[in-house]
Amino acid sequence: MLYTADDFSSDAHVPADEALARLRAGNRIYVEALDHERDLSPERIQDLFERGQKPFATVVTCSDSRVVPEHIFMTGLGELFVIRVAGNVIGELEAASAAYACAHLHTRLLLVLGHTHCGAIKAALDGERGAVAPLTERIRGAIGAVDDPYRASVLNTEAAIGELLRCPELAALAQVGSLAVEGAIYHTHCGVVDFLDRSCARA
């Protein structure tokens, strides 16, 4: 299905399946370079200021400068609520940010986006500690004895999903079918996103 620019306008309470379809279509446009125009206009900035934000999805992803969800999914201002932290690990602040987006802004899709060639994953695999220990210890706990970087990224993403669903507010939304929590891996060498196959609560 082809989407037009109008299909990517922000709207509150977008069903999770529709939000996921928008992300898939946006990534296809990004990879195939079919269109690089999104609304970043002064008029859009003013509209968001006056009417507030209504993102259609929340994305938790890594701080890596190559991983920019707004570009990867070809979205404009106000369309995604993005939470970034090295290694896309979930702590108290990340979970609280996600709960705010899903409970107060009513995004019905929460996507954890890991990626290949992740520096935080490599640091964990290499056993680095010091200042990065709060990250590497969490990642190490998620990946166990796995030493394949791609598999480690998948396991780390799945662990982040599990952490998010331990947040009471998010778990309650998922339980009643008002929130889907999904995972995906971005390939830094080509721009393609692999959406992980999961059985999740869906709106």
Side-chain angles (χ1 to χ4, degrees), residues 2-202:
L2 291 177
Y3 285 78
T4 67
D6 290 339
D7 293 317
F8 288 87
S9 61
S10 296
D11 191 17
H13 308 287
V14 172
D17 286 342
E18 181 182 333
L20 196 59
R22 288 190 191 184
L23 296 183
R24 288 180 185 274
N27 184 242
R28 180 186 58 80
I29 293 168
Y30 171 73
V31 171
E32 297 178 6
L34 299 179
D35 169 32
H36 284 282
E37 294 184 6
R38 286 291 172 260
D39 191 352
L40 307 176
S41 66
E43 291 79 14
R44 178 61 174 157
I45 293 170
Q46 185 67 25
D47 180 67
L48 286 168
F49 170 72
E50 292 176 352
R51 298 171 57 188
Q53 60 175 321
K54 296 179 181 178
F56 72 82
T58 297
V59 180
V60 180
T61 194
C62 185
S63 300
D64 192 301
S65 62
R66 299 166 294 180
V67 184
V68 185
E70 293 87 347
H71 295 334
I72 292 168
F73 299 120
M74 294 300 288
T75 57
L77 290 172
E79 294 188 78
L80 295 180
F81 189 96
V82 179
I83 302 160
R84 298 185 67 166
V85 59
N88 47 273
V89 300
I90 301 299
E92 184 179 354
L93 296 178
E94 291 77 25
S97 296
Y100 169 77
C102 299
H104 295 276
L105 300 179
H106 309 292
T107 60
R108 301 178 75 173
L109 175 67
L110 174 54
L111 180 73
V112 179
L113 181 64
H115 70 99
T116 60
H117 301 93
C118 177
I121 295 286
K122 184 178 185 303
L125 291 173
D126 291 346
E128 288 189 32
R129 295 189 56 78
V132 298
L135 296 172
T136 57
E137 288 173 1
R138 281 182 179 270
I139 294 170
R140 200 70 240 188
I143 66 178
V146 168
D147 59 5
D148 174 71
Y150 181 80
R151 182 62 184 152
S153 291
V154 171
L155 290 174
N156 186 56
T157 296
E158 291 176 343
I161 292 171
E163 287 293 330
L164 287 167
L165 288 173
R166 275 188 273 280
C167 172
E169 290 85 352
L170 296 173
L173 289 170
Q175 187 172 12
V176 298
S178 294
L179 177 67
V181 186
E182 301 282 356
I185 302 294
Y186 174 69
H187 290 270
T188 55
H189 74 286
C190 65
V192 171
V193 172
D194 285 339
F195 290 86
L196 305 181
D197 184 18
R198 286 181 44 82
S199 297
C200 297
R202 289 186 176 275

